[in-house]
């Protein structure tokens, strides 16, 4: 297997999850609440063998002190893929920063930002490197 094939195989799950999101969008189109897309995508991913949790609480800490603030991840697949869903006209920097913050807070390695827009489905994929704190945007080659 060459380098490009290995790279694509490593991140194949991004493509598979996006494919299931496309199925949801084709069936329901744009215009529903985010929670409707969330429920449908969870169902389809579970049918594909993923373990998926909805509305996962993420507590905030300052060193060892738990703060009076929690966040909620829309979906967490296989315990290591954060899937942040939107149902808006277009994705902006603030939506990306929300996902990036979740990656940094949880130390989960993978994140997806999926928008069920009336104009079509949009998906971005990220890999968080805990050692460096860097977040790379993933593109299949």
């Amino acid at each position: 297997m060459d380098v490009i094939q290995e790279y694509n195989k490593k991140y194949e799950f991004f493509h598979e999850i996006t494919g299931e999101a496309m199925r949801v969008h084709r069936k329901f189109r744009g215009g529903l609440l985010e929670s409707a897309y969330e429920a449908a995508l969870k169902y389809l991913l579970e049918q594909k063998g993923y373990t998926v949790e909805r509305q996962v609480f993420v507590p905030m800490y300052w060193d060892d002190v738990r703060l009076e603030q929690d966040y909620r991840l829309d979906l967490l697949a296989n315990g290591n893929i954060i899937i942040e869903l939107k149902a808006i006209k277009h994705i902006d920097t603030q939506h990306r920063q929300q996902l990036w913050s979740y990656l940094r807070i949880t130390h989960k390695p993978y994140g997806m930002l999926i928008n069920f827009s009336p104009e079509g489905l949009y998906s971005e994929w990220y890999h968080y490197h805990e050692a460096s704190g860097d977040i790379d945007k993933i593109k299949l080659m």
Side-chain angles (χ1 to χ4, degrees):
M1 191 179 310
D2 71 6
V3 175
I4 292 175
Q5 287 175 323
E6 285 180 35
Y7 178 90
N8 286 345
K9 183 142 182 74
K10 177 180 178 180
Y11 296 118
E12 188 175 306
F13 64 90
F14 282 129
H15 191 275
E16 188 171 66
I17 292 170
T18 300
E20 295 306 309
M22 290 174 84
R23 285 182 61 197
V24 171
H25 193 271
R26 276 195 304 272
K27 183 168 187 75
F28 295 125
R29 307 270 182 220
L32 297 178
L33 294 175
E34 184 181 298
S35 57
Y37 300 113
E38 185 180 296
L41 184 57
K42 178 184 188 292
Y43 171 76
L44 290 179
L45 291 176
E46 288 175 338
Q47 298 303 302
K48 293 284 252 183
Y50 286 86
T51 302
V52 184
E53 298 173 76
R54 259 183 99 181
Q55 295 298 311
V56 177
F57 280 94
V58 177
M60 289 289 301
Y61 289 90
W62 185 270
D63 296 328
D64 293 332
V65 177
R66 187 163 192 265
L67 303 175
E68 294 180 25
Q69 176 66 45
D70 291 325
Y71 286 97
R72 279 193 282 173
L73 309 178
D74 290 336
L75 296 172
L76 182 64
N78 291 351
N80 67 350
I81 308 163
I82 297 171
I83 306 171
E84 182 61 28
L85 303 179
K86 300 295 177 197
I88 56 179
K89 188 169 182 171
H90 69 278
I91 294 295
D92 204 347
T93 301
Q94 67 192 25
H95 305 113
R96 292 179 185 97
Q97 288 174 341
Q98 179 185 10
L99 175 61
W100 300 339
S101 293
Y102 290 167
L103 290 167
R104 289 184 183 107
I105 291 168
T106 63
H107 302 269
K108 302 295 183 195
Y110 305 111
M112 300 182 73
L113 183 58
I114 300 175
N115 186 25
F116 293 90
S117 163
E119 288 82 26
L121 185 91
Y122 179 78
S123 179
E124 291 182 358
W125 311 338
Y126 295 95
H127 186 178
Y128 170 68
H129 303 277
E130 187 174 358
S132 66
D134 293 337
I135 297 175
D136 296 327
K137 189 171 184 181
I138 302 301
K139 290 286 187 187
L140 294 183
M141 298 179 189

